[in-house]
């Protein structure tokens, strides 16, 4: 059977701050294993098994992440399927419905596997076997979810209640009910009972069956989502859902809108390991620790520490912990988090506090990713800013000008093709070029390797919105 993976790729990036932020949430970062969580998810749901073949993934994301999605899929060697761009985040129910309607227009018998793109499942082959185990139920018109065998009394997950304990066969079982996140006492009771599984939020079904479930349980959502899909417009290989009807859709999860009301759900138990990396404590659990339970990154050192996580995310910043016990310490170039392990779920409170102070670190990642590459600010003054800019091979910034600043570019790696008004010339390593205020200019990388330059901006206003674009190969306004 051919199955289309539907990767949900949004998120606010608060629970793993400061590494994960709104502008660059956790699915795009490398936290456990090789590659980003998004790349691992796409690779896990690719290829062909004996009775299971995965089609190219359909990704539902937002405009800010669209180029990151395609770039990371390309790096992973996966050809992207359709990429649907949400005008705004409206939770998982509208995203799943839009994907179903899009697939139904191509194939009335389409089968979808809906998965968040920020989960860790170390045994990909075991998960594909679990998907195969659910196909018979899907062919019978059932909606299949995957329940994770719990290994601790977790209070941060919702649960699935089964009619009986799983027998170890991996076969699909009937679902009795969904259970909201429990308190510690109830979580311990459910763990001891054995008939309760964690709710993974991963679903397998025919597109026609989930549409029927929406018609029965959330009919108000169908018309606006259908209109948004029907009025969607192509944009450089992406498909932008129409914003006006989308704005009328309820902001609700697929669980609340449909799954908890349906009597057609089956559960495939999965016991081979899973985590949604919902906090730094989960990252610590999913990463190989030393004999004292300490996990460190390349630029972190632990001295006489126990059961702690120390990560430095900057090559030029060494993090040292001495005598720490049950602690989290995460260092970024622009922010540092230190907290007891049992306070991992309070990290979002730190983000809210920083947002209240209007601190850029609350939501903005140090590196600003663009379709042509990325930049980061090295020094910021009252009337000047110094940036490092990396441009991908063959990529080009827009033809643009600025009202309030001039720029000085120094190429430190590769060769840049630079346009300044009517002049076009090549600028090589250790050469520089000056961009006067108001000049129409563009920077391109004509080479086959990344091009790096240092940009010095001077002027009365240095904001990123001081850009007038005249031409742009990425169709940005």
């Amino acid at each position: 059977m051919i199955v289309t993976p539907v990767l949900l790729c949004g998120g606010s990036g608060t629970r793993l701050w400061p590494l994960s932020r709104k502008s660059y949430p956790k699915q795009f970062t490398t936290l456990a294993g090789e590659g980003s969580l998004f790349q691992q998810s796409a690779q896990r749901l690719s290829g062909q098994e004996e009775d299971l073949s995965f089609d190219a993934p359909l990704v539902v994301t937002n405009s800010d992440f669209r180029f990151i999605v395609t770039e990371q899929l390309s790096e992973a060697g996966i050809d992207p399927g359709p990429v649907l761009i949400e005008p705004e985040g409206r939770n998982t129910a509208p995203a799943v419905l839009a994907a179903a309607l899009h697939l139904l227009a191509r194939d009335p018998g389409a089968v979808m596997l809906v998965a968040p793109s920020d989960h860790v499942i170390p045994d990909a082959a075991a998960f594909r076997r679990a998907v195969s185990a659910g196909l018979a139920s899907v062919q019978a018109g059932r909606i299949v979810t995957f329940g994770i065998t719990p290994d601790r009394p977790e209070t941060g997950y919702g649960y699935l209640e089964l009619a009986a304990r799983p027998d170890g066969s991996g076969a699909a079982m009937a679902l009795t009910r969904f259970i909201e996140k429990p308190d510690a006492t109830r979580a311990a009771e459910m763990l001891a009972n054995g008939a309760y599984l964690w709710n993974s939020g991963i679903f397998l079904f025919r597109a026609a069956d989930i549409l029927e479930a929406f018609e029965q349980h959330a009919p108000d959502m169908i018309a606006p989502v259908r209109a948004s899909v029907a009025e969607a417009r192509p944009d450089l290989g992406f498909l932008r859902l129409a914003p006006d009807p989308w704005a009328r859709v309820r902001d609700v999860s697929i669980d609340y809108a449909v799954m908890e009301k349906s009597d057609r759900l089956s559960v495939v138990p999965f016991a081979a390991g899973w985590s949604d990396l919902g906090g730094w404590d989960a990252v610590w659990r999913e990463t190989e620790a030393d004999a004292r339970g300490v996990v460190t990154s390349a630029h972190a050192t632990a001295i006489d520490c126990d059961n702690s996580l120390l990560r430095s995310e900057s090559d030029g910043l060494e993090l040292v912990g001495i005598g720490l016990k049950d602690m989290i310490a995460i260092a970024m170039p622009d922010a540092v988090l230190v907290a007891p392990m049992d306070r991992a779920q309070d990290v979002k409170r730190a983000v809210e506090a920083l947002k209240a102070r209007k601190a850029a670190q609350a939501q903005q990642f140090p590196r600003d990713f663009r379709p042509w590459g990325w930049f980061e600010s090295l020094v910021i003054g009252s009337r000047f800013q110094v940036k490092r800019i990396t441009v991908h091979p063959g990529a080009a910034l827009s033809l643009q000008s600025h009202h309030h600043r001039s720029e000085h570019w120094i190429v430190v790696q590769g060769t840049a093709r630079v346009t300044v008004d009517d002049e076009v010339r090549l600028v090589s390593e250790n050469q520089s070029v000056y961009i006067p205020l108001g000049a129409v200019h563009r920077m391109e990388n004509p080479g086959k390797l990344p091009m790096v330059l240092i940009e010095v901006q001077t002027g009365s206003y240095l904001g990123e919105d001081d850009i007038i674009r005249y031409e742009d190969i990425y169709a940005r306004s």
Side-chain angles (χ1 to χ4, degrees), residues 143-163:
I143 294 173
V144 173
T145 186
F146 297 85
I148 310 302
T149 303
D151 58 10
R152 62 186 184 277
E154 176 62 57
T155 60
Y157 298 150
Y159 284 70
L160 307 172
E161 182 181 357
L162 307 181

Side-chain angles (χ1 to χ4, degrees), residues 55 65 91 103 109 123 135 148 172 186 201 212 214 220 253 261 305 314 360 395 425 433 460:
D55 203 353
F65 302 153
N91 218 312
L103 291 174
D123 193 339
L135 291 177
I148 310 302
R186 180 62 177 143
E212 184 179 331
F214 271 95
D220 63 295
S253 74
K261 302 172 184 176
C305 296
S314 173
R425 63 188 175 103
V433 62
S460 59

Side-chain angles (χ1 to χ4, degrees), residues 10-65:
S12 58
T14 59
R15 293 190 292 177
L16 292 182
W17 185 90
L19 178 59
S20 172
R21 307 186 196 182
K22 183 178 181 180
S23 68
Y24 200 73
K26 67 178 179 179
Q27 62 261 31
F28 300 123
T29 64
T30 300
L31 284 163
E34 296 184 4
S36 71
L37 299 178
F38 173 69
Q39 289 171 318
Q40 292 178 29
S41 298
Q43 289 170 326
R44 184 164 58 245
L45 305 181
S46 64
Q48 187 170 347
E49 305 288 329
E50 183 176 345
D51 59 348
L52 171 65
S53 178
F54 287 107
D55 203 353
L58 184 157
V59 179
V60 184
T61 188
N62 63 44
S63 185
D64 291 340
F65 302 153

Side-chain angles (χ1 to χ4, degrees), residues 348-368:
K348 58 187 177 184
R349 294 175 57 187
V351 176
E352 292 302 317
L354 291 173
K355 286 170 64 177
R357 290 175 44 207
K358 298 184 176 359
Q361 291 90 336
Q363 300 184 82
Q364 189 63 41
F365 200 69
R367 287 186 176 180
D368 197 323

Side-chain angles (χ1 to χ4, degrees), residues 316-361:
L317 195 157
E318 291 293 327
L319 173 65
V320 179
I322 301 175
L324 302 181
K325 184 176 181 180
D326 301 321
M327 293 293 292
I328 300 163
I330 312 296
M332 295 285 290
D334 63 339
V336 176
L337 168 71
V338 181
M341 190 74 70
D342 61 4
R343 299 292 298 275
Q345 293 302 314
D346 288 335
V347 170
K348 58 187 177 184
R349 294 175 57 187
V351 176
E352 292 302 317
L354 291 173
K355 286 170 64 177
R357 290 175 44 207
K358 298 184 176 359
Q361 291 90 336

